[in-house]
Amino acid sequence: MIRKAVRFVDERTGTAPFLHKALRYLFPDHWSFLLGEVALYAFIVLVATGVYLTFFFADSTHQVVYHGPYAPLYGQHMSEAYRSVLNISTTVKAGLLIRQTHHWAANVFLAAIILHLFRIFFTGAYRKPREITYYLGVTMLMLALLEAYMGYSLVDDLMSGMGLVIGYSVGMAIPFVGANVMEWLFAGPFPGGESLWPRLYVAHVLLFPILIGILLTAHLALVALKHHTQFRQGRGETEHTVVGVPTWPGQTPRSLGLLTAVAGVLFLLGGLVQINPIWLWGPYHTYSSTNGAQPDWYLGWLIGGLRLMPGFDVVIGKYTLVPNAFWGGALFPLVVFGFLYFWPWLERRLTDDASFHNLADRPRDAPGRTAIGVAMAVWVVLVFVAGGADRIDVLFGISYVGQIWVFRVLVFVVPIVAGAVAYRVCKELQAGEPVEKNRHRAEVEARRYA
Amino acid sequence: MARAKDWLLSGLVLLLGRGRPQPRPGTPRVVARQPPHPRAELAVLALLGLSSACAAAFVVVYAVDRIPAQTQLLGLALGLSLVFLAAALVVTGKRLVPTEQLAEPYPPPGHPQEQQLVIQSLDEGVDGITRRRLLRLGLLGAGGTLALAAITPALSFGPLLRTAPLYRTPWRRGRRLVDESDRPLRADEIEEGSFYAAFPEGADKEEQGSPLVVVRLPPRQLALPGDLAGFDADGIVAYSSICTHAGCAITMYRSPKFAPVEPRPALVCPCHYSTFDPAAGGRVLFGPAGRPLPMLPLRVDGKGFLRAGGNFSGAVGPAWWGVRLRGAHS
Amino acid sequence: MRVRALVVLLVLAAPAAAAAATADQVTRGLHLYGRYCSSCHGPNGSGQARSGSTRAGGGPARDQQVQAGLGPPLVGVGARAADFYLRTGYMPLKRAGLQPRRSRLLLGPQEIDALIAYVASLGKGPPVPRPRPERGNLSEGQHLFTQHCAGCHQVVAEGGYVTGAVPPPLEDATAVQIAEAVRIGPYVMPVFSERQLSNAEVDSIVRYVQWAKHPDDRGGWSLGHVGPVPEGLVTWFLAMSVLVGVCLAIGTRLRG
């Protein structure tokens, strides 16, 4: 039967040579190379669950009165959008499961991308000839962040509504053009015009997924065309020879297994661990807010940036050149992403190395890169932790105001220290290897004479 | 009965016992030979069976309304089904199919000959054109202006150049203050120690220029700066409840019971904890806000209702490049 | 006849007996007050607002100058305030200027009753409220709580932060304590009078707060109802550990 199918396809498409190459394409099989796949499979779950949700969501902020089965909100005013998500969560069968799986998938998608980014960065896999692949990846990270933010903001619940006005305000704070761009985007001053919600919806369900899909396809195609990087594992890997497991039969069940494992974990979470219980938060109003509002974790670094800034606007005469929210909300992510985009070029200049690299470095093999990467990561993580200082005060009684002052210093001092420590650790690990090899050789010899 | 058994048996044999197609003798193997692992095969079958059972359970839970904790059971069923399938696939990958470690050359770093052909084709194609640079410029111009024209309709997404709406609020002199249920507020119902949300009568409450936070302070505690003198109505002060940092609604009022040992009264925003002093014209006491809270002048009318005495002391909402250029207007 | 007479006598004697008990209580309360409260609240609940030193280092968000022996007057605060502060363990306070927090009760129930009787006797004040949450409306309570309380206490009463104080979570608050706190406004909490929130509205708020102790967690493990922070922890420490584990099971590791 298979014989018939293969002949049918080849006679009509001429793809047998391609299929043969594809089936025997070699995958270097270090476990860390699978992190990108985890992200890919989370994306697949996102699209699948997302399509389902689009059949129930109402993309309108038109105010209605709730007369549904959820008692604590009965008779209250809310937008159609919020009501439709209440409906999904309480009335549609399996609706809450799909909705929660969708949100968990978004969280895992971003976490996997970040782990994948760490692997790429710390092994130097972004170097020639894979720069374009890398830029596509960083762009996808940015798109994924925005996509996820739009996704949970569409629900129009109290917490995400607060997040949306903050996003609007950060946009407003961009010097010279902020207000114009935000009014343009929002179809007027906050809370925006009638077309805002449909616009947000179309961006989230059509434009961004297509954009991410296109970039993803190009990203995967480039990986396949230039083949994967690989670690030196003593099996004959060189800059010119790739060693790995072919797609068929070795890699296929593994990859499919990873796909079903990711989907399985996501559905288990979606059913068993509550996420974003919007019925508890209630609907958003411009004049309402709650304590303890936080963005999803992947934007937590920004709330830290916003909270750490001392209170000042940069004013010249009557022109507010740099409103306060710009530093923590816009400049900070700009610097981080700028670093990510510029790093390959910077490294090329600093190491004077523009040659091909198919072998992946172990982090210790590039102490400078590792140190700088660790420093940047620690910087972001510390700002992220500072964003939760209020919760630390509530739980452990450490003064919030005191923490803010301490964090203002720590976020600049600790990354430098961490980078220096990482550098030393790399050097020590490197120095230890010949010692280890000698010791091993000596022991083997000693055993021979034992 | 015996006939039925025969049919069933032959059906099973057909499905399970069919012979594999043998490769033609003499052709070398493409894929390495994997020694059989019958126990692993049984494990995979068991896992597949469990996966099917869980998937079936999903359908059952979905169909039977009476089963409680639907979300949890549906998630458990579907999730476990996928997890068992994943386990089956991983066991297959590790035991049932060969894990070949093969080596092959990387694709070449470049194809200099084809590169040359491409460059030559592109060059020779336009060989006959004499005014190459000029034509290129013309093409760029046409293409560029066409692209600009094509994106021009996007300008109508929203007001790109009009920033006047950002200064507009529904407040004007004489507008009455109402609560969330549109009931007009009386001055004598505003008591010390509490805070009240207020809106302009007849206006859209969702506009950033609408919501107020109103508190009453003992008049001797007030220390309003010069330009805000008289904005209070006998100690009642009103501020925009939209934080000047990032636009969240200010819904926290710190109201000390015992002033000598407790922090002074303050309006606090729950997003980034910008803290404003209602006694001093909305001055920023702590937090990232760069601008004091806009204050609305109040007066009490003849019947005792609170009315606005004008518009806010400054533009409402988060800061932008022109937020200090003009004041709020109706 | 004799039984009926006895019953009538008892019924008539009861208020007198109660009054007598209260007088004893008041005396007992006076002694307890002297021992535990007068050092800050002054003799006869007159309060102590000054102890002759200046405020030092009082920043806008920090606790004001802490001086031993400072406390507000208790004349006219009534049984309501005494009941609230004593039964929650807010009082006695270790040090003036600290935020009162729910703590282990140092006094037994009878001693507390005595103190309440004494404080109530200091001047006419509001009695202990009797909220009726079963008469309240859950949705009205949710709405009122969101508008007046959620800014500090978080929308499902999980507690939060305000500059200089920590509004507590309300999971241990009884109906009476909720009603009392709304009217008293302890520490830096605003004071909501009957004019602003009627007793019926407070009933609804109490009903909502009680509901919020075990809210609708139809989505599964609730993670504390505080939103994205624990969700992020689950993402990294649960989901990603499992998935990285799967990657480790599928792939190879670096040798040597």
Side-chain angles (χ1 to χ4, degrees):
Chain A
M1 234 190 18
I2 303 225
R3 192 183 302 245
K4 283 212 197 108
V6 171
R7 190 156 62 197
F8 182 94
V9 167
D10 184 47
E11 281 172 1
R12 284 150 190 75
T13 63
T15 46
F18 166 75
L19 281 171
H20 174 69
K21 264 182 81 176
L23 283 178
R24 302 303 282 169
Y25 172 90
L26 295 184
F27 283 83
D29 57 350
H30 190 256
W31 67 267
S32 67
F33 298 166
L34 293 165
L35 293 169
E37 273 188 54
V38 173
L40 170 66
Y41 298 145
F43 183 67
I44 291 176
V45 174
L46 276 171
V47 172
T49 51
V51 167
Y52 178 91
L53 292 171
T54 60
F55 293 128
F56 294 96
F57 181 74
D59 62 329
S60 154
T61 44
H62 178 66
Q63 294 287 303
V64 292
V65 177
Y66 181 70
H67 293 302
Y70 182 67
L73 293 175
Y74 191 88
Q76 291 199 37
H77 289 271
M78 57 182 61
S79 63
E80 277 191 26
Y82 181 74
R83 184 178 62 171
S84 71
V85 182
L86 261 186
N87 192 38
I88 292 172
S89 307
T90 58
T91 315
V92 175
K93 262 217 176 182
L96 185 59
L97 171 67
I98 306 281
R99 213 200 110 221
Q100 296 199 146
T101 304
H102 189 75
H103 201 138
W104 282 119
N107 278 358
V108 166
F109 182 48
L110 280 149
I113 293 179
I114 289 175
L115 282 180
H116 176 62
L117 171 64
F118 280 176
R119 200 285 289 174
I120 299 293
F121 183 90
F122 287 110
T123 60
Y126 51 80
R127 292 175 296 179
K128 187 168 175 181
R130 295 177 180 82
E131 303 100 317
I132 301 180
T133 322
Y134 174 74
Y135 294 136
L136 288 171
V138 175
T139 310
M140 278 195 286
L141 172 60
M142 198 162 60
L143 290 175
L145 281 173
L146 289 170
E147 171 77 344
Y149 175 64
M150 284 194 290
Y152 72 73
S153 298
L154 275 169
V155 180
D156 197 30
D157 59 282
L158 185 57
M159 280 232 258
S160 68
M162 292 165 71
L164 191 63
V165 74
I166 294 174
Y168 167 85
S169 303
V170 168
M172 294 284 276
I174 295 172
F176 305 119
V177 295
N180 308 73
V181 171
M182 293 322 286
E183 273 207 294
W184 174 76
L185 214 56
F186 273 65
F190 195 86
E194 260 189 54
S195 56
L196 172 64
W197 232 248
R199 194 175 292 182
L200 212 56
Y201 186 53
V202 163
H204 179 78
V205 306
L206 185 71
L207 298 178
F208 272 64
I210 288 183
L211 216 56
I212 295 177
I214 292 176
L215 294 185
L216 189 57
T217 310
H219 186 84
L220 292 173
L222 283 173
V223 171
L225 283 172
K226 273 297 172 182
H227 275 60
H228 211 282
T229 55
Q230 57 183 352
F231 284 116
R232 223 186 295 259
Q233 284 180 277
R235 300 176 307 190
E237 299 97 343
T238 68
E239 288 285 357
H240 305 286
T241 309
V242 60
V243 174
V245 178
T247 315
W248 178 268
Q251 195 62 25
T252 306
R254 286 178 164 81
S255 285
L256 288 176
L258 189 57
L259 164 62
T260 42
V262 169
V265 166
L266 289 175
F267 275 102
L268 280 174
L269 282 174
L272 299 174
V273 186
Q274 187 165 272
I275 185 169
N276 201 24
I278 51 105
W279 55 90
L280 294 181
W281 313 146
Y284 176 69
H285 295 290
T286 328
Y287 51 84
S288 298
S289 60
T290 171
N291 204 292
Q294 285 265 347
D296 270 14
W297 66 268
Y298 39 83
L299 294 174
W301 50 312
L302 298 183
I303 193 178
L306 286 170
R307 283 182 176 178
L308 280 176
M309 286 305 295
F312 67 91
D313 290 340
V314 175
V315 183
I316 296 188
K318 287 223 176 116
Y319 282 90
T320 309
L321 210 59
V322 188
N324 190 279
F326 174 74
W327 306 102
L331 187 64
F332 177 47
L334 205 70
V335 167
V336 174
F337 273 98
F339 167 77
L340 287 176
Y341 276 111
F342 276 106
W343 175 251
W345 171 85
L346 194 64
E347 191 189 38
R348 272 202 305 274
R349 295 292 301 273
L350 289 174
T351 58
D352 208 9
D353 175 10
S355 55
F356 270 77
H357 291 280
N358 287 320
L359 285 173
D361 288 334
R362 292 167 310 169
R364 72 183 73 173
D365 296 328
R369 175 203 305 147
T370 304
I372 293 178
V374 164
M376 283 300 288
V378 167
W379 185 45
V380 174
V381 168
L382 271 178
V383 174
F384 173 87
V385 172
D390 57 340
R391 218 60 216 168
I392 294 176
D393 193 334
V394 171
L395 289 172
F396 303 115
I398 305 173
S399 152
Y400 174 79
V401 178
Q403 282 184 71
I404 292 295
W405 278 110
V406 169
F407 270 114
R408 280 175 183 159
V409 174
L410 284 184
V411 293
F412 291 110
V413 168
V414 175
I416 297 176
V417 171
V421 168
Y423 188 83
R424 271 251 62 82
V425 169
C426 287
K427 286 289 201 195
E428 292 296 326
L429 285 172
Q430 276 184 334
E433 271 167 13
V435 173
E436 187 62 34
K437 226 180 277 183
N438 286 337
R439 187 180 75 113
H440 182 72
R441 208 180 309 136
E443 280 181 353
V444 167
E445 259 191 65
R447 241 177 275 136
R448 213 178 298 149
Y449 291 108
Chain B
M1 185 63 193
R3 292 272 306 276
K5 213 167 63 163
D6 283 339
W7 275 106
L8 196 66
L9 214 62
S10 33
L12 274 165
V13 169
L14 204 68
L15 267 170
L16 301 172
R18 205 198 217 172
R20 317 288 325 287
Q22 294 302 316
R24 290 196 211 102
T27 51
R29 282 188 67 88
V30 181
V31 178
R33 195 177 286 279
Q34 173 77 349
H37 282 102
R39 268 197 298 183
E41 288 174 11
L42 282 175
V44 169
L45 279 169
L47 287 165
L48 289 174
L50 282 169
S51 174
S52 320
C54 289
F58 178 87
V59 178
V60 168
V61 173
Y62 187 99
V64 179
D65 273 337
R66 268 184 314 136
I67 298 179
Q70 284 265 315
T71 306
Q72 282 71 66
L73 290 175
L74 286 172
L76 205 58
L78 191 54
L80 282 179
S81 171
L82 287 161
V83 166
F84 283 129
L85 186 56
L89 285 163
V90 171
V91 173
T92 306
K94 296 197 117 171
R95 291 271 180 275
L96 300 187
V97 295
T99 303
E100 305 154 282
Q101 293 286 0
L102 301 177
E104 73 179 16
Y106 269 104
H111 309 88
Q113 280 170 318
E114 284 85 348
Q115 285 175 18
Q116 180 57 33
L117 286 172
V118 168
I119 297 168
Q120 244 185 291
S121 316
L122 291 171
D123 269 336
E124 291 169 9
V126 291
D127 245 331
I129 304 177
T130 55
R131 301 183 180 81
R132 240 181 286 185
R133 212 173 295 169
L134 217 55
L135 278 166
R136 204 182 312 160
L137 217 64
L139 209 64
L140 218 69
T145 43
L146 194 60
L148 273 172
I151 63 170
T152 303
L155 285 177
S156 43
F157 278 15
L160 189 64
L161 299 170
R162 277 194 310 128
T163 51
L166 289 170
Y167 299 106
R168 216 197 69 83
T169 81
W171 291 102
R172 51 179 50 72
R173 180 196 290 278
R175 253 271 155 81
R176 265 204 305 201
L177 275 67
V178 297
D179 67 7
E180 210 197 343
S181 333
D182 294 318
R183 186 185 59 87
L185 284 173
R186 301 182 55 83
D188 54 24
E189 74 178 89
I190 307 293
E191 290 164 304
E192 274 179 39
S194 188
F195 71 110
Y196 304 79
F199 305 89
E201 188 169 26
D204 179 11
K205 298 192 175 68
E206 301 284 347
E207 276 186 49
Q208 284 196 318
S210 280
L212 296 178
V213 58
V214 181
V215 297
R216 181 195 283 271
L217 295 163
R220 56 182 162 71
Q221 239 181 55
L222 284 183
L224 298 174
D227 54 336
L228 300 175
F231 269 47
D232 67 306
D234 196 28
I236 305 177
V237 290
Y239 294 93
S240 163
S241 62
I242 302 298
C243 183
T244 53
H245 174 241
C248 297
I250 291 169
T251 54
M252 298 207 272
Y253 181 51
R254 196 177 67 187
S255 165
K257 191 125 215 85
F258 185 49
V261 299
E262 291 170 11
R264 78 179 86 171
L267 294 165
V268 188
C269 178
C271 285
H272 313 107
Y273 303 110
S274 292
T275 310
F276 304 91
D277 190 346
R283 184 170 67 96
V284 179
L285 296 172
F286 170 78
R291 216 166 56 92
L293 217 47
M295 189 174 186
L296 189 77
L298 288 181
R299 59 180 196 80
V300 185
D301 71 8
K303 302 214 182 76
F305 291 111
L306 279 170
R307 290 186 186 264
N311 217 312
F312 288 98
S313 59
V316 160
W320 53 283
W321 58 262
V323 77
R324 290 171 170 83
L325 261 183
R326 299 175 49 185
H329 68 88
S330 320
Chain C
M1 172 64 198
R2 264 215 278 179
V3 175
R4 248 199 280 167
L6 200 61
V7 169
V8 168
L9 237 128
L10 281 170
V11 166
L12 287 173
T22 313
D24 272 340
Q25 277 183 323
V26 171
T27 316
R28 185 139 179 245
L30 169 66
H31 291 301
L32 289 167
Y33 180 87
R35 207 150 98 208
Y36 295 109
C37 321
S38 62
S39 56
C40 289
H41 287 288
N44 305 316
S46 55
Q48 270 165 201
R50 257 187 296 269
S51 49
S53 80
T54 52
R55 273 195 297 226
R62 303 214 298 272
D63 292 335
Q64 297 299 300
Q65 173 62 16
V66 166
Q67 280 292 309
L70 286 178
L74 300 179
V75 177
V77 298
R80 177 177 75 188
D83 180 76
F84 175 75
Y85 281 98
L86 291 171
R87 293 212 200 276
T88 52
Y90 273 30
M91 290 290 148
L93 200 57
K94 277 205 203 89
R95 215 174 33 151
L98 284 180
Q99 175 179 342
R101 294 191 198 241
R102 196 172 276 272
S103 18
R104 195 169 59 90
L105 298 182
L106 297 170
L107 304 168
Q110 283 163 331
E111 292 171 306
I112 292 180
D113 285 338
L115 265 175
I116 292 173
Y118 173 70
V119 171
S121 75
L122 288 174
K124 184 141 175 48
V128 175
R130 278 188 229 281
R132 295 272 227 283
E134 67 279 2
R135 289 200 196 156
N137 178 289
L138 188 58
S139 177
E140 182 189 35
Q142 195 277 350
H143 185 72
L144 289 169
F145 191 86
T146 303
Q147 294 309 112
H148 295 100
C149 325
C152 287
H153 285 284
Q154 201 259 357
V155 70
V156 275
E158 293 290 348
Y161 177 77
V162 71
T163 337
V166 177
L170 303 179
E171 62 206 352
D172 291 327
T174 66
V176 170
Q177 285 164 0
I178 298 167
E180 287 170 336
V182 168
R183 297 283 183 234
I184 296 170
Y187 197 53
V188 293
M189 176 169 160
V191 179
F192 300 98
S193 71
E194 257 178 80
R195 188 125 184 234
Q196 190 177 10
L197 288 173
S198 69
N199 283 331
E201 289 174 324
V202 173
D203 286 341
S204 293
I205 291 178
V206 171
R207 180 159 179 187
Y208 174 73
V209 174
Q210 288 181 321
W211 175 90
K213 294 179 187 181
H214 302 284
D216 187 326
D217 285 329
R218 58 182 65 209
W221 180 22
S222 74
L223 304 179
H225 319 107
V226 287
V229 171
E231 292 165 7
L233 293 173
V234 166
T235 302
W236 281 92
F237 293 108
L238 196 57
M240 293 319 289
S241 336
V242 168
L243 291 174
V244 168
V246 175
C247 292
L248 281 164
I250 292 177
T252 58
R253 285 183 228 197
L254 284 181
R255 291 183 221 111

